[in-house]
Amino acid sequence: MTRIAVTGALGRMGTLVIQEAARIEGMELVAGLDAVGAGKPLQGGLLVRDASQLEQVLKETQPDVLIDFTIAQAAVENACKAASLGVDLVVGTTGISPEQHSQMKQAIEGNVAAVITPNFAVGVNLFWKLVADAAAALKGYDFDIEIIEAHHNQKKDAPSGTALATVEAIKKARGEAGPSDASDVVYGRKGIMPRGKEIGVHAVRAGDIVGDHTVLLAGPGERLEIKHQAHSRTAFASGAVRAASWVAGRSPGIYSMADVLQSR
């Protein structure tokens, strides 16, 4: 039995994670926390606990894994508190800065196991592999690379964590050093901007789009497009629950969703 606690329990993703966990044999929700709505009922007769009580709740309920879909600052604080108490982690919150990620890494390594990824969908993880393979195969050819991502109009961070991870996958596949904020990556264009050898990244925010990611590889007289579209957030929730089941009791360290999928 894998005992889970969920932060951001009343949010879009938290709600779906709890629903998905209820469908899985061997998965038990022992706590749900949120910054608002304390006292509201959750599945299994539990009540939402205030997010400020996380440390107390973790000590009381003793979950195996904490699943976090909140905001960047809260996610870092939650991860550090959970790690200090020996609770394994699944973190799907995006918008986390390199500095914040380093803070989480320091708290996690040597203490607990954690799956941290901007996207838990099975298809997206295959998308990253296909994009990396294409980028490596076309290295040395005259092909430009552009990344276009689209999400709903309430998404706060741009570009998406998935788009940034796509940049990293391309750079790694081509043997290029440097983070996604390096000078060889351009975010949007305005004015007179002749194209060089940069990777272009563009964000669309409109309506209720769940998540679209397209990589355009264009050369003389031809182009290749690799695309992933999420039709429902259920794809992310089911992946997060799968990750929670997988990570419980693993050796301390930070894992990716690829690690989860490769060990089915």
Side-chain angles (χ1 to χ4, degrees):
M1 180 68 69
T2 303
R3 296 162 56 84
I4 63 167
V6 178
T7 43
L10 296 179
R12 288 175 173 175
M13 281 305 304
T15 298
L16 286 173
V17 165
I18 290 171
Q19 291 173 354
E20 186 68 18
R23 296 176 51 250
I24 305 299
E25 185 177 351
M27 187 75 59
E28 180 186 3
L29 176 71
V30 297
L33 303 96
D34 206 290
V36 297
K40 288 188 175 181
L42 292 171
Q43 291 187 5
L46 295 175
L47 300 179
V48 175
R49 302 288 295 272
D50 191 278
S52 65
Q53 299 178 323
L54 177 62
E55 190 170 355
Q56 176 186 339
V57 171
L58 293 181
K59 288 179 179 178
E60 289 176 1
T61 59
Q62 298 186 333
D64 299 305
V65 182
L66 175 68
I67 302 177
D68 186 280
F69 282 94
T70 54
I71 60 175
Q73 183 177 347
V76 174
E77 293 175 359
N78 294 341
C80 291
K81 288 178 182 177
S84 70
L85 295 173
V87 179
D88 292 329
L89 287 156
V90 168
V91 180
T93 301
T94 60
I96 296 173
S97 70
E99 294 75 20
Q100 289 173 321
H101 192 274
S102 294
Q103 185 180 347
M104 281 201 302
K105 181 179 179 181
Q106 184 176 359
I108 290 166
E109 290 189 336
N111 294 315
V112 296
V115 176
I116 302 176
T117 180
N119 201 307
F120 285 94
V122 172
V124 163
N125 284 268
L126 175 57
F127 166 83
W128 282 327
K129 183 179 186 304
L130 295 174
V131 168
D133 289 346
L138 293 173
K139 183 179 180 180
Y141 292 88
D142 188 18
F143 272 73
D144 300 318
I145 301 180
E146 300 278 307
I147 300 170
I148 306 100
E149 58 98 342
H151 285 83
H152 55 90
N153 58 19
Q154 299 302 307
K155 184 170 176 61
K156 295 179 181 179
D157 56 310
S160 69
T162 301
L164 295 176
T166 304
V167 173
E168 300 292 355
I170 291 169
K171 291 169 70 71
K172 182 178 179 181
R174 298 196 305 191
E176 297 172 1
S180 58
D181 59 354
S183 60
D184 54 354
V185 182
V186 172
Y187 296 94
R189 295 188 180 87
K190 182 179 180 181
I192 300 173
M193 289 193 66
R195 200 188 199 289
K197 293 300 181 183
E198 76 276 4
I199 299 172
V201 184
H202 312 275
V204 175
R205 297 291 176 266
D208 60 357
I209 299 171
V210 173
D212 293 355
H213 292 86
T214 301
V215 173
L216 172 67
L217 304 103
E222 60 179 331
R223 71 175 184 266
L224 172 67
E225 293 186 15
I226 304 174
K227 185 170 187 175
H228 178 274
Q229 290 180 300
H231 300 282
S232 167
R233 291 178 181 84
T234 301
F236 313 138
S238 61
V241 171
R242 176 183 292 182
S245 178
W246 180 88
V247 80
R250 292 273 167 182
S251 298
I254 296 177
Y255 300 90
S256 69
M257 193 61 187
D259 294 317
V260 177
L261 297 175
Q262 286 169 5
S263 60
R264 284 191 303 164

